[in-house]
Amino acid sequence: MKSFTQLTGVAAPMDRANVDTDMIIPKQFLKSIKRSGFGKNLFDELRYLDEGLPDQSCEGRPLNKDFPLNQSRYQGASVLLSRENFGCGSSREHAPWALDDYGFRCVIAPSYAEIFFNNCFKNGILPIVLNEQVVEQLFAQMYAVEGYQLFVDLETQKVTTPAGESFAFEVDDFRKHCLLNGLDDIDLTLQDVDAINAYEIERKQLSPWMFDVIK
Amino acid sequence: MAGKTLYDKLWDAHLVKQRDDGSALIYIDRHIVHEVTSPQAFEGLRLAGRKPWRVDSILATPDHNVPTTSAERASGVAGIEDAVSRIQVQTLDDNCDEFGVTEFKINDSRQGIVHVVGPETGACLPGMTVVCGDSHTATNGALGALAHGIGTSEVEHVMATQCLVAKKMQNMLIRVDGKLGVGVTPKDVVLAIIAKIGTAGGTGFAMEFGGEVFRAMSMEGRLTVCNMAIEAGARAGMVAVDGITFDYVKGRTYAPKGEQWDLAVAQWKDYVSDADAVFDEIVEIDGSAIEPQVSWGTSPEMVLPVDACVPNPKDESDAVKRNDIERALAYMGLKAGQAIKDIAIDRVFIGSCTNSRIEDMRAAASIVEGRQKAASVIDAIVVPGSGEVKAQAEAEGLDKIFIAAGFEWREPGCSMCLAMNADKLGNGEHCASTSNRNFEGRQGYGGRTHLVSPEMAAAAGVAGHFVDVRTFIDGSAV
Ligand code: SF4
């Protein structure tokens, strides 16, 4: 998994409450056999004016010019600013896959749906909770200044605005440790590689046929 | 100190590390893979630059999406008409080639449903831990193994680390004593168990099936019972090892040979629950009282003996249950209190990982031999669980018996069990099915599934409605 330490990035708005995972990545794209490549279909129904189909190239599809991600000032954004209950709905892990594939590494919102929140940490994305007033203030500043960038520091647990104003956020210690070091579940298990090897050696002696090769 | 259960022994033998938070790392001996739940796992390995920890512990075969008609099957993957199905099967081939995983490809004579292929090739053995990205993996527990289904992220985790992060479950014993009557099959036993304990009865438990009925049951019957442990809520079901287990395993492709065999048998003998083992819960059922079963509703616990009548919601005092019954009757198009034998059927499906092994084929053939499918039944398809089952059945002439009776003989795969391929029920059609799930829409949009044994499905296909198969066996049926 990608680690997350610090990030300076353009902020883009998803200015509504209850952004659900179907909105983030509509269900027709779930038939995919991949976990990459969802970025072009992130917010598909809002981003394009036609109906998106799986396996279709998005080059040349009619864009919804009013949608922020289609506007030049938000190009290259890596911080997504949104409202309460972000990521509600189906538990699909495709939602964080799509955000990540598009280039978002951090979401800031007043609250999240739980499964989505967990899935973010499993996929190297930092979901930050800031209170409603602060989020409102960030929205206002972002709209006022083209190319508005936020500085996010996981180590010190702070979001800093271009004017130097900082807001502290909470994060579970264990999750912070995993994100800072880019550790996913597999990495965590592999920290016990010695135990696994020792088990195998002992088992091979005791029950060698268990290690017969499937071919 | 109290003795250990079979599950305790399997758990202890595979414990790599107990973690402080109550979870543990469990070593996985065998990993079976199919096309639906593996693509993102392989992709995850690729993105992280990881390799399978022990690639020779993995066996793959496509089953869910493969067509079962010989015409569509003839040209292999390229011939699969549905594009999404074709891509999934092709992707499994590509991934297995890239990572060096052994795969029984679509038209390999060893291809089949994962849970049929595992035991019959000897890839799954007593004393093993077995996982697969599929909830019916518990089937393999019949061998005296710890087997359960896992999710896609766990498939990737097991590939990368050979371990699963798990928490120890509680122990449940289902003891069925007595002797099964004529025409009463392992499928009826497991349906009767689910009817008794409910679909959540086994949640959080590893379920051991013990007692006289299981000691006398063939290995294939035990596989059928363990297959449906998940329908009783248990992720893992298992049966203790005995002589029947050894006779079944001996000589299979991946089973140990020679000295290794003797060493293995000596160790496997211990995979039984100790006499003084303590179970957290024990359920007792009288095997002699079990009758042929038919599910009437939309959950596997909505099941009754064939002679019964479907429930009347008015007789149910609990409001939630009454509502469930009403909903199920409406979906199934049944009248409250109607006799199960009066349910006319439109199609028959004999197959799935529950009932597609050679004994199932023989049992169904014995019922249809010399008889004819009812004209009112649109079709009756028989789908062997694997290429090996198919070849064996054909060697015994079973295919000819089915075809002569107006049943169709198909190529191996999951087929109408979940209708991911072209085999589907039409809206409102009733099916006598040997599969394991009767959820709404499972066998096709609006389809109505009745879970039964292969014998009962065959008999229903002949009669055009449910009948007590025992009347076919004793000759009293007209
Ligand atoms: S036969 Fe049915 S239950 Fe069994 S693995 Fe296939 S789809 Fe799943």
Side-chain angles (χ1 to χ4, degrees), chain A residues 148-160:
Chain A
Y148 181 81
Q149 291 197 336
L150 287 170
F151 173 64
V152 179
D153 185 14
L154 178 56
E155 183 61 57
T156 59
Q157 298 180 212
K158 276 194 187 115
V159 176
T160 309

Side-chain angles (χ1 to χ4, degrees), chain B residues 63-64 113-115 134 136 227 352-353 414 417-418 436 442:
Chain B
D63 55 4
H64 287 63
I113 304 172
V114 278
H115 315 306
D134 193 284
H136 290 99
N227 173 271
S352 89
C353 55
C414 293
C417 175
L418 88 167
N436 46 46
R442 169 81 175 182

Side-chain angles (χ1 to χ4, degrees), chain A residues 35-36 189 199-200 207 215, chain B residues 13 27 43 156-157 254 267:
Chain A
R35 76 169 76 184
S36 53
T189 297
Y199 176 90
E200 280 189 334
S207 315
K215 62 166 186 272
Chain B
Y27 190 81
E43 168 99 346
E156 182 184 343
H157 188 277
Y254 299 119
Q267 291 181 22

Side-chain angles (χ1 to χ4, degrees), chain B residues 44 53 62 79 98 101 106 131 142 170 189 227 232 297 328 336 340 345 383 404 420:
Chain B
W53 179 281
E98 178 185 338
V101 171
I106 179 166
V131 294
Q170 287 191 290
V189 173
N227 173 271
I340 285 183
I345 59 151
V383 187
M420 254 183 117

Side-chain angles (χ1 to χ4, degrees), chain B residues 80-280:
Chain B
I80 302 177
E81 281 161 24
D82 181 81
V84 174
S85 295
R86 187 172 60 243
I87 289 168
Q88 285 198 330
V89 176
Q90 183 62 53
T91 304
L92 181 66
D93 287 1
D94 296 347
N95 282 326
C96 288
D97 291 348
E98 178 185 338
F99 286 93
V101 171
T102 298
E103 183 197 4
F104 299 161
K105 293 198 162 77
I106 179 166
N107 285 341
D108 186 309
S109 63
R110 299 164 297 177
Q111 175 271 343
I113 304 172
V114 278
H115 315 306
V116 174
V117 169
E120 86 180 356
T121 54
C124 302
L125 294 169
M128 276 187 168
T129 42
V130 179
V131 294
C132 173
D134 193 284
S135 60
H136 290 99
T137 310
T139 311
N140 298 285
L143 294 158
L146 174 57
H148 51 69
I150 54 177
T152 295
S153 53
E154 289 173 313
V155 169
E156 182 184 343
H157 188 277
V158 172
M159 281 186 184
T161 68
Q162 210 62 35
C163 290
L164 186 67
V165 179
K167 279 202 171 122
K168 196 168 178 206
M169 297 179 267
Q170 287 191 290
N171 283 288
M172 178 184 279
L173 174 66
I174 308 275
R175 184 157 56 217
V176 187
D177 284 321
K179 194 164 176 290
L180 296 182
V182 174
V184 179
T185 71
K187 179 67 162 286
D188 300 307
V189 173
V190 71
L191 286 173
I193 292 169
I194 298 164
K196 173 153 176 142
I197 71 170
T199 50
T203 304
F205 290 97
M207 190 178 271
E208 179 175 345
F209 300 99
E212 291 160 15
V213 162
F214 297 109
R215 293 277 63 87
M217 195 178 278
S218 72
M219 182 51 62
E220 300 208 343
R222 295 175 186 179
L223 290 163
T224 297
V225 172
C226 289
N227 173 271
M228 291 190 71
I230 187 75
E231 270 67 52
R235 266 180 98 192
M238 59 196 73
V239 175
V241 168
D242 61 11
I244 291 174
T245 318
F246 301 141
D247 290 346
Y248 176 88
V249 173
K250 193 163 192 185
R252 299 202 177 257
T253 311
Y254 299 119
K257 311 266 160 25
E259 268 177 39
Q260 288 287 306
W261 171 259
D262 298 334
L263 185 59
V265 167
Q267 291 181 22
W268 292 344
K269 281 193 172 135
D270 190 43
Y271 284 110
V272 297
S273 289
D274 294 332
D276 57 345
V278 179
F279 288 88
D280 301 288

